[in-house]
Amino acid sequence: MADESLNISQQTGLQQKLNPRQVMFGRFLEMTPPEVEDAVRRAVDENPALEEKSASDNFESIDDFNETAEELQRADYGSDDDIPFYRLEANNRSADDSDYEPVLTDSATSLYEALKEQLAELDLDSRDTTVAEYIVGSLDDNGYLTRGLPEIVEDLEIREGMDITLADVKRVFARVRSLDPAGVGAVDLRDCLLLQIDRVPRSLEARVAREIIADWFDLFSKKHFDKIRSHLGIDRDVLAGAIEFITTLNPKPGSLLETVTPTDRLRHIVPDFSVDVDSDGHATVSLLSRTPELAVESSFDLPDSGTPSTDRRRREADIFIKRRRDDALAFIRMLEMRSQTLMAVMESIVKLQPRFFATDDPSAIKPMIIKDVAELTGLDISVISRATTGKYVLTRHGVYPLKMFFNERPKEDVDMSSHEIVEALRKIIDNEDKHRPLSDEALRQRLADAGYDIARRTVTKYRERLGRPVARLRKHF
């Protein structure tokens, strides 16, 4: 048997650990204003040692204020002669009168609900109604059928226990495709356009448009108008009229109905900062925080005697009070650190981008990376990254994401930002001849003539960032 021995060895190593409060601070930095408000509300509810400072802590007592509402309204006018007559009229309604009070209602109507209402007006039996509702439930928000009819037949057989054929489903499907808005129930874009064309009065433009979509849709999607005109044997005016007619059709008919839910309405951007620049060019940064000012509840803010109590229940109570007080102080400090960090980052961005905040022109943004802000603030790069993620600033002309200000130089030896080049590219594309749009190489040459010497692949990347297609697809007939 081999000898066995126990050996003790010593090794050194480095390991980084974050304490819970550091992790919590990182999460606080990433929060948006509504998320911070929710976190504060939960903390106040869960920790009895936390309380919101009341207005009486900062202002004089309102007991000394004795003016009535009527006197306040009259004070807005220089004399009684200036007061409008309706301010002087009495409210002659009795207590039994019922006043009308407008009530906010949710007027949003989903596509499914709108189509179901129309189905109720059709002469369908209960079996066909079930099939029609199942088909309507298979439409996406744009009104397109997302599943094949054979799959719907299988679902109806399995889930509804119906004995139904494909011909039955096709018959009901045709009724669904006759509902409003025109185009619902389409299986693809081509089908959607044809459904809409078949609903309009007959005309030369509609007839040619239907022939183009039905027989030459690939050429139309690629804007090969000369080939279409050659195949159809029509002149340019007729083709131009048909194309103009096609552009009036809606590729997403389901979007005609409002499908915004109450939850979606709440998902709006809330700016974290506001920047105001005066006539002298001096910028003032404000943190737009709606969180209440917090304090430690007075019953928990007790001095520590330093001598532990001999009574067990009293000792447990002291431990509870101390823990809750410490948690409250830590939470308050965390909010203060968040505000200080965010302000430091935002003020640094304003210092690094003075031209933008003076003009609100995106092309005035100069190259800036996170490291530049770190050098000004002395904060870690990861802290700055968290502090700018999902944050927005309000200026005189709009709301902008903080991430917009971070951009590298397209070339190391060029002191210009990508925003400036993208803005120049946008102006070139907007002003190009729409009948002969510029290729990416031609765009590169135009930018070079304007002093922006970048590669063609960079031009392609910036063009795609603008959401502009290639030259062939930008061509107008």
Side-chain angles (χ1 to χ4, degrees):
M1 185 175 180
D3 293 338
E4 295 183 0
S5 61
L6 297 176
N7 297 323
I8 298 177
S9 61
Q10 185 176 12
Q11 295 179 345
T12 59
L14 295 177
Q15 186 177 10
Q16 184 180 22
K17 290 185 178 181
L18 295 177
N19 61 49
R21 290 186 179 178
Q22 288 176 313
V23 175
M24 183 181 177
F25 177 63
R27 291 175 180 172
F28 261 70
L29 278 179
E30 293 179 341
M31 288 182 181
T32 61
E35 291 173 340
V36 174
E37 292 175 22
D38 290 340
V40 170
R41 195 176 300 111
R42 287 196 304 270
V44 172
D45 292 340
E46 295 171 1
N47 190 348
L50 266 179
E51 68 172 0
E52 298 181 12
K53 282 189 176 181
S54 61
S56 60
D57 294 337
N58 301 317
F59 301 97
E60 294 181 359
S61 174
I62 61 173
D63 295 337
D64 299 332
F65 185 76
N66 298 317
E67 288 190 273
T68 64
E70 183 179 359
E71 290 172 338
L72 280 175
Q73 292 175 350
R74 287 173 177 256
D76 293 335
Y77 305 96
S79 64
D80 288 346
D81 295 335
D82 297 331
I83 302 176
F85 71 92
Y86 59 83
R87 292 292 188 193
L88 301 176
E89 287 185 352
N91 185 358
N92 295 324
R93 291 184 180 270
S94 66
D96 297 331
D97 288 343
S98 59
D99 293 337
Y100 170 73
E101 295 184 1
V103 179
L104 278 177
T105 60
D106 180 16
S107 60
T109 302
S110 68
L111 178 64
Y112 178 76
E113 293 171 347
L115 296 180
K116 276 192 65 176
E117 291 177 0
Q118 296 180 55
L119 289 176
E121 300 175 0
L122 299 180
D123 185 17
L124 299 176
D125 56 28
S126 60
R127 175 185 171 89
D128 287 350
T129 300
T130 301
V131 176
E133 291 180 355
Y134 201 91
I135 293 174
V136 168
S138 299
L139 303 180
D140 62 15
D141 292 339
N142 295 323
Y144 288 85
L145 184 66
T146 58
R147 312 193 65 213
L149 294 183
E151 295 176 341
I152 292 178
V153 172
E154 292 180 2
D155 288 346
L156 289 171
E157 291 176 342
I158 297 173
R159 298 184 181 181
E160 302 295 333
M162 299 179 64
D163 183 13
I164 194 167
T165 64
L166 181 60
D168 293 333
V169 174
K170 286 183 177 179
R171 175 175 52 80
V172 178
F173 181 48
R175 302 294 300 274
V176 172
R177 285 157 64 90
S178 68
L179 301 177
D180 291 324
V184 294
V187 296
D188 54 29
L189 176 59
R190 176 175 170 273
D191 187 31
C192 178
L193 298 178
L194 289 175
L195 285 175
Q196 296 178 62
I197 294 174
D198 291 340
R199 296 274 194 98
V200 301
R202 304 301 298 173
S203 65
L204 176 62
E205 290 81 5
R207 181 181 64 79
V208 175
R210 196 185 197 292
E211 193 171 355
I212 291 173
I213 299 301
D215 301 331
W216 309 105
F217 185 72
D218 289 341
L219 293 179
F220 173 76
S221 62
K222 297 176 181 178
K223 294 195 174 184
H224 292 321
F225 300 132
D226 291 336
K227 292 183 180 180
I228 293 175
R229 188 165 62 87
S230 176
H231 285 299
L232 296 179
I234 56 178
D235 58 33
R236 296 182 64 87
D237 292 338
V238 174
L239 180 60
I243 292 174
E244 183 178 357
F245 171 79
I246 293 173
T247 58
T248 63
L249 304 177
N250 188 355
K252 299 178 180 180
S255 63
L256 292 174
L257 295 174
E258 184 182 9
T259 57
V260 180
T261 63
T263 302
D264 294 332
R265 291 193 186 98
L266 297 177
R267 295 174 183 170
H268 57 276
I269 293 175
V270 178
D272 302 80
F273 312 92
S274 69
V275 176
D276 183 45
V277 181
D278 59 24
S279 57
D280 297 329
H282 177 70
T284 302
V285 180
S286 302
L287 183 63
L288 303 179
S289 175
R290 294 183 296 177
T291 56
E293 190 174 357
L294 302 179
V296 176
E297 206 274 331
S298 58
S299 61
F300 284 80
D301 196 13
L302 300 176
D304 189 359
S305 62
T307 303
S309 175
T310 57
D311 181 64
R312 182 178 64 83
R313 297 182 64 180
R314 179 60 187 173
R315 187 167 61 250
E316 291 176 353
D318 291 342
I319 294 174
F320 172 81
I321 292 175
K322 184 178 184 304
R323 183 183 298 118
R324 290 299 190 179
R325 184 180 63 224
D326 292 345
D327 290 343
L329 290 172
F331 190 85
I332 295 172
R333 177 55 182 159
M334 202 73 65
L335 289 178
E336 293 174 350
M337 289 175 59
R338 179 183 184 274
S339 299
Q340 294 169 0
T341 302
L342 292 179
M343 281 295 293
V345 171
M346 189 67 239
E347 289 173 348
S348 299
I349 293 176
V350 172
K351 289 180 182 178
L352 292 169
Q353 303 289 355
R355 285 183 54 208
F356 170 81
F357 290 101
T359 62
D360 269 76
D361 182 7
S363 64
I365 298 177
K366 69 176 186 178
M368 183 185 79
I369 58 178
I370 293 181
K371 185 179 179 181
D372 297 330
V373 179
E375 291 176 353
L376 275 181
T377 60
L379 298 172
D380 188 80
I381 290 178
S382 63
V383 173
I384 297 173
S385 178
R386 291 174 182 270
T388 54
T389 299
K391 305 299 188 301
Y392 294 83
V393 58
L394 173 66
T395 68
R396 292 175 297 176
H397 300 287
V399 178
Y400 303 92
L402 295 194
K403 289 294 185 182
M404 182 186 76
F405 301 104
F406 296 97
N407 62 100
E408 297 183 357
R409 293 174 173 82
K411 298 174 68 174
E412 290 295 331
D413 57 343
V414 177
D415 189 20
M416 65 181 65
S417 70
S418 59
H419 291 286
E420 181 178 350
I421 300 177
V422 169
E423 183 63 17
L425 178 62
R426 183 190 64 78
K427 292 179 180 178
I428 293 174
I429 295 177
D430 289 346
N431 296 322
E432 69 183 354
D433 185 356
K434 302 305 179 184
H435 301 289
R436 298 180 180 83
L438 300 171
S439 64
D440 287 353
E441 177 58 30
L443 291 173
R444 185 203 65 79
Q445 185 59 50
R446 291 284 185 92
L447 288 172
D449 295 341
Y452 306 107
D453 188 13
I454 58 176
R456 186 193 60 79
R457 62 179 179 274
T458 306
V459 173
T460 302
K461 181 178 71 173
Y462 290 166
R463 174 179 56 74
E464 293 175 347
R465 183 187 300 181
L466 286 170
R468 306 301 171 89
V470 295
R472 174 172 51 80
L473 297 181
R474 299 200 307 271
K475 184 178 181 180
H476 289 189
F477 181 74

